[in-house]
Amino acid sequence: ITEMIHTASLFHDDVIDNADTRRGQPAAHRAFGNKMAILAGDYLLARASICLARLRNVDVVECMSTVIEHLVRGEVLQIKDNRTGVADMEGYLRKNFYKTASLMANSCKSAALLGDNVSPEVADAAYRYGKHIGVAFQLIDDALDFEGSVVSLGKPALADLNAGLSTAPVLFAAESHGQELIPAMARKFKQDGDIELALRCISEADGVQRTKKLAAIHAEQAMDALVTALEPSPYRDSLMHLACRVVDRSR
């Protein structure tokens, strides 16, 4: 169910962002057209809703339905940022929660709720684990956009900058280079030399490394959630290892 919702959101996002590739392949709307891509996303959401209803668990239905609401809310926030001015770190992290972390948080909580006699403390810990994993995952994505290639990322490097998006490395750089960087952010890096300016400011402010450090903090918070609610076990160890892999990945 989670993967169907996620894939549907990717189909729709690629149409909205006018993306050329997804995971190294032509985006669905490039291969089949906008209408087919949107309909495919709608179909996956419908199938996910049917599967969700068949679980016959009201709490899980509420959790996973919230994800769909949050995906839309996050996309609206991103469009609003693009139209109204410069993003800030607080708003950026809120948008990332809606677009990425909410899916992971509510999916983890739903999995816990489907277990037998799970305490509210365990369900809450599962939610917090997924939330911080989701935030860390997106922050590493932001960092890799400045370090990766088409082969490693499945999309062109600097895709966010070229799309006019101010992600975490840019926002960190703006803290010390705001006078020259904020005007470029406001015009979505459309003027000649804006992207080169942003790259220089990010390098001087150590924006990519600061983004990775923030991701590591969220990964540690995810692991703390497990330690406080779960007894030691191979399953808990696997989840801890997953949190480490999220921040250590290179693709």
Side-chain angles (χ1 to χ4, degrees):
I1 293 171
T2 296
E3 191 53 37
M4 282 193 285
I5 294 172
H6 179 228
T7 303
S9 74
L10 297 183
F11 284 162
H12 290 164
D13 279 1
D14 284 346
V15 173
I16 292 169
D17 298 339
N18 199 30
D20 292 322
T21 59
R22 171 65 65 178
R23 295 173 182 165
Q25 301 296 322
H29 70 285
R30 293 297 186 201
F32 306 106
N34 284 351
K35 290 182 179 179
M36 286 298 292
I38 291 169
L39 287 172
D42 291 346
Y43 175 78
L44 285 173
L45 287 175
R47 292 302 306 173
S49 298
I50 292 170
C51 294
L52 196 54
R54 287 175 179 166
L55 293 174
R56 301 289 192 269
N57 187 309
V58 175
D59 291 333
V60 172
V61 170
E62 182 178 354
C63 268
M64 297 307 292
S65 298
T66 300
V67 169
I68 299 175
E69 177 201 348
H70 284 176
L71 286 169
V72 175
R73 188 178 293 187
E75 196 60 48
V76 169
L77 283 176
Q78 181 164 302
I79 293 171
K80 191 175 179 181
D81 282 346
N82 285 344
R83 290 180 177 175
T84 59
V86 176
D88 57 57
M89 185 64 78
E90 181 182 352
Y92 174 74
L93 291 173
R94 182 170 62 251
K95 179 202 72 177
N96 278 356
F97 168 74
Y98 287 140
K99 291 194 66 176
T100 304
S102 175
L103 176 66
M104 297 189 184
N106 284 292
S107 295
C108 289
K109 182 178 179 180
S110 295
L113 290 171
L114 289 170
D116 294 329
N117 300 317
V118 172
S119 69
E121 291 76 20
V122 170
D124 180 65
Y127 178 90
R128 288 186 286 117
Y129 173 80
K131 173 186 175 182
H132 291 296
I133 286 289
V135 173
F137 184 92
Q138 188 57 54
L139 287 167
I140 293 298
D141 250 20
D142 293 347
L144 292 178
D145 191 55
F146 292 88
E147 295 184 330
S149 64
V150 174
V151 174
S152 63
L153 300 177
K155 62 180 182 179
L158 303 181
D160 293 330
L161 273 184
N162 284 309
L165 300 177
S166 297
T167 55
V170 178
L171 296 174
F172 276 127
E175 293 176 0
S176 56
H177 294 70
Q179 188 171 355
E180 52 185 334
L181 188 54
I182 287 176
M185 294 164 63
R187 56 180 177 259
K188 311 305 175 190
F189 309 107
K190 297 302 182 186
Q191 187 171 299
D192 287 346
D194 279 351
I195 289 180
E196 290 75 12
L197 168 67
L199 292 175
R200 177 177 61 79
C201 292
I202 290 166
S203 176
E204 292 176 357
D206 211 14
V208 171
Q209 288 305 313
R210 290 172 69 186
T211 298
K212 290 182 176 181
K213 288 179 181 178
L214 181 57
I217 290 171
H218 279 281
E220 288 174 4
Q221 290 176 312
M223 290 186 279
D224 287 343
L226 297 178
V227 171
T228 58
L230 300 181
E231 295 296 326
S233 71
Y235 310 108
R236 193 184 78 171
D237 291 344
S238 294
L239 290 171
M240 303 273 275
H241 180 61
L242 176 62
C244 295
R245 290 192 63 181
V246 163
V247 294
D248 290 339
R249 67 193 176 95
S250 59
R251 56 186 303 164

